[in-house]
Amino acid sequence: MSFDNRRDNRHSGFGAPRKMFKATCADCGKECEVPFKPTEGRPVYCRECYQKHRRF
Ligand SMILES: [Zn+2]
């Protein structure tokens, strides 16, 4: 049994680099990074504000 091998497999799943796009939060004005390309005309929120807006 190889526990090290199991750990490696789990790790490689997170190893893929994610493309992040810089954006400005439409709520607090803070610079943030989002995992999707910000669409013009659509507000982009930072993680904190996004959660806040999702609740309402
Ligand atoms: Zn914000």
Side-chain angles (χ1 to χ4, degrees):
M1 271 196 223
S2 174
F3 289 102
D4 281 342
N5 199 23
R6 238 172 107 188
R7 216 154 94 202
D8 268 0
N9 275 339
R10 224 175 124 196
H11 221 90
S12 63
F14 279 93
R18 264 186 226 173
K19 198 168 188 184
M20 299 295 279
F21 297 88
K22 283 211 171 167
T24 307
C25 178
D27 198 340
C28 67
K30 222 160 65 178
E31 209 175 75
C32 57
E33 285 187 328
V34 288
F36 54 87
K37 198 176 178 187
T39 315
E40 260 183 69
R42 286 196 71 186
V44 176
Y45 301 110
C46 68
R47 226 165 75 180
E48 280 166 46
C49 295
Y50 183 71
Q51 274 176 6
K52 208 161 72 188
H53 280 259
R54 258 177 89 186
R55 283 190 190 169
F56 293 108

